[in-house]
Amino acid sequence: MVAVQAGFAGLNILPKVALDSGMSPYVMIAYRQIIATVALAPFAFFLEWKTRSVLITRKILLQILFCSTFGATINQLLYFIGLKYTTPTIASALSNILPAITFIIAVPFRIETVNMKSIPGQAKVAGTAFCVSGSMLMTFYKGALIHIPHSGLHWRYAEKVVEKSTEASALAGGSSNKEIFGAMLVVGSCVAWAIWFILQANMSMSFSAPYMTSTIMCAMASVECFLIGGIIERDIHSWALGFNIRLASVLYIGLICSGFAVLLMTWVIEKRGPLFVSMFSPLQLIIVAILGWAILDEKLYVGSVLGSVIIIIGLYLVIWGKAREFNMEVSDEGAAMESELNRGEGNEDIEEELPICSSIANANCAKKVFQIQEV
């Protein structure tokens, strides 16, 4: 997970330099989806297609289409357009409000519950409020400049690109408004990502083939992004890729962020669970802040630091609340199952429930049953 977060940190640095050099975010995302499709296709074929009978119905294809629209196209376009107008540190920090936004969206659909009488329920609500407050603070309050010494590690090309971009923004005026606009777009990308979580969770109940669905999703997003990019970026020269920062950035985000990171996260979720994965999210912010200061000479302001701290506190409150609710649910079910086992009536229920969990590929369900069985 440290390697995954380091890879995601580069997602905010390298593309930022490419965007400041004049590369269009629409072009960047279109190429990213193509590279991600090519990178994931072999894993989908050898790990899932050849080992099982995969039946993809029209309903599944429609669900994957909605997932690609929100989880890849809208999410990534909003994020990279926002990154163009804001700093890598702010973009990375605002990404940590994702659990809170997911919680807000999931409540009306009764995927999540709000029990204000319990401490975990209060923690989730308080964490959500912290995340939203921290994001608003980072978006609309800059504060005083934090004076830190310059680093001796400067990427000269990136430094020149950033200087030109800063000068152009200063001449055009309204740089503060652009940063606010960029931050709001990043928040919008989190909303699209949260919607994708809801859609993906619903689809995984009836069709469990993560590599296959990810490959098809990236392929569909490639078509969507090329259509959008073709309408907006009509100059053929803007689509040219040479041996430069543009090629490096699309290869990086396609292979590392959409290929390498997805595979590692899938493996870690299987071994340690989704909670373990989410606990490492703030590490990306720290790595981005260090790289931004060392390589891009990024300036830190009081508003950014305070907002980041508030968001991280909120993130861990939401995660703690979710984990505590899960443990309480497992404990209650375990007590009930233990009572049935003592009466000699529980063995058949466990044997019947395990295949159901396997058939719908519900990791949480399976985990609960195994924990109950241990009790």
Side-chain angles (χ1 to χ4, degrees):
M1 282 310 302
V2 174
V4 168
Q5 296 304 327
F8 280 144
L11 173 71
N12 294 278
I13 301 298
L14 199 60
K16 174 62 175 176
V17 178
L19 292 170
D20 286 344
S21 69
M23 187 177 188
S24 169
Y26 303 97
V27 174
M28 180 181 292
I29 297 304
Y31 281 126
R32 174 185 181 172
Q33 302 301 341
I34 287 289
I35 295 172
T37 303
V38 175
L40 291 172
F43 295 95
F45 180 75
F46 289 106
L47 297 180
E48 290 176 346
W49 187 270
K50 293 188 69 175
T51 57
R52 53 172 291 175
S53 177
V54 179
L55 179 61
I56 302 177
T57 63
R58 291 182 180 179
K59 180 182 177 181
I60 296 299
L61 282 176
L62 184 61
Q63 289 177 320
I64 296 176
L65 176 61
F66 280 112
C67 286
S68 70
T69 302
F70 285 97
T73 304
I74 298 177
N75 167 37
Q76 294 181 19
L77 280 176
L78 289 178
Y79 186 85
F80 283 99
I81 296 173
L83 180 62
K84 182 178 178 66
Y85 294 112
T86 189
T87 65
T89 300
I90 291 178
S92 177
L94 290 175
S95 298
N96 286 305
I97 70 173
L98 177 62
I101 293 179
T102 306
F103 173 68
I104 293 173
I105 295 177
V107 168
F109 292 96
R110 297 182 180 180
I111 298 174
E112 288 286 346
T113 58
V114 180
N115 184 8
M116 292 302 295
K117 294 182 180 179
S118 67
I119 294 179
Q122 296 171 0
K124 290 196 298 184
V125 173
T128 301
F130 269 87
C131 287
V132 174
S133 301
S135 65
M136 293 299 101
L137 180 65
M138 293 187 71
T139 302
F140 297 106
Y141 176 71
K142 201 168 187 177
L145 175 67
I146 299 177
H147 296 282
I148 54 178
H150 291 281
S151 117
L153 301 173
H154 279 301
W155 185 11
R156 291 184 179 180
Y157 175 79
E159 194 172 355
K160 291 179 181 178
V161 168
V162 172
E163 285 179 359
K164 289 181 179 179
S165 177
T166 305
E167 290 175 1
S169 298
L171 291 174
S175 59
S176 178
N177 292 332
K178 287 184 177 180
E179 289 184 359
I180 293 175
F181 176 67
M184 293 177 67
L185 288 179
V186 173
V187 173
S189 75
C190 291
V191 174
W193 204 357
I195 294 174
W196 172 72
F197 279 154
I198 306 298
L199 296 173
Q200 184 70 28
N202 182 54
M203 183 179 66
S204 64
M205 297 293 291
S206 56
F207 185 78
S208 176
Y211 299 112
M212 184 66 63
T213 54
S214 297
T215 303
I216 298 174
M217 186 178 74
C218 289
M220 289 181 173
S222 301
V223 177
E224 295 172 350
C225 291
F226 267 104
L227 287 175
I228 296 173
I231 294 172
I232 297 175
E233 297 293 340
R234 299 183 180 182
D235 185 6
I236 193 66
H237 296 290
S238 63
W239 292 85
L241 293 178
F243 291 97
N244 50 29
I245 188 64
R246 298 187 178 192
L247 178 62
S249 63
V250 296
L251 286 175
Y252 183 88
I253 61 178
L255 294 175
I256 302 299
C257 301
S258 293
F260 171 76
V262 168
L263 292 176
L264 277 187
M265 288 177 67
T266 303
W267 181 80
V268 174
I269 288 173
E270 181 183 348
K271 296 296 182 182
R272 300 296 300 272
L275 181 63
F276 184 83
V277 174
S278 61
M279 292 289 288
F280 284 82
S281 296
L283 180 61
Q284 180 191 154
L285 174 60
I286 298 172
I287 298 173
V288 169
I290 294 174
L291 291 178
W293 161 73
I295 297 176
L296 304 180
D297 196 24
E298 182 182 338
K299 302 296 188 296
L300 289 179
Y301 294 89
V302 172
S304 299
V305 175
L306 287 178
S308 300
V309 172
I310 293 173
I311 288 174
I312 291 176
I313 293 173
L315 171 68
Y316 278 113
L317 280 174
V318 174
I319 292 174
W320 181 85
K322 284 287 297 176
R324 189 62 182 265
E325 280 187 347
F326 176 77
N327 290 335
M328 291 171 62
E329 186 177 351
V330 168
S331 178
D332 292 341
E333 293 182 5
M337 187 66 73
E338 183 182 15
S339 176
E340 292 183 8
L341 287 172
N342 289 335
R343 296 196 302 268
E345 300 175 354
N347 293 328
E348 295 82 359
D349 294 337
I350 292 177
E351 294 298 328
E352 290 177 1
E353 191 167 2
L354 283 174
I356 297 174
C357 295
S358 177
S359 65
I360 64 176
N362 190 331
N364 288 335
C365 175
K367 186 174 180 181
K368 288 179 187 177
V369 174
F370 283 121
Q371 288 177 331
I372 293 168
Q373 194 173 28
E374 289 176 1
V375 173

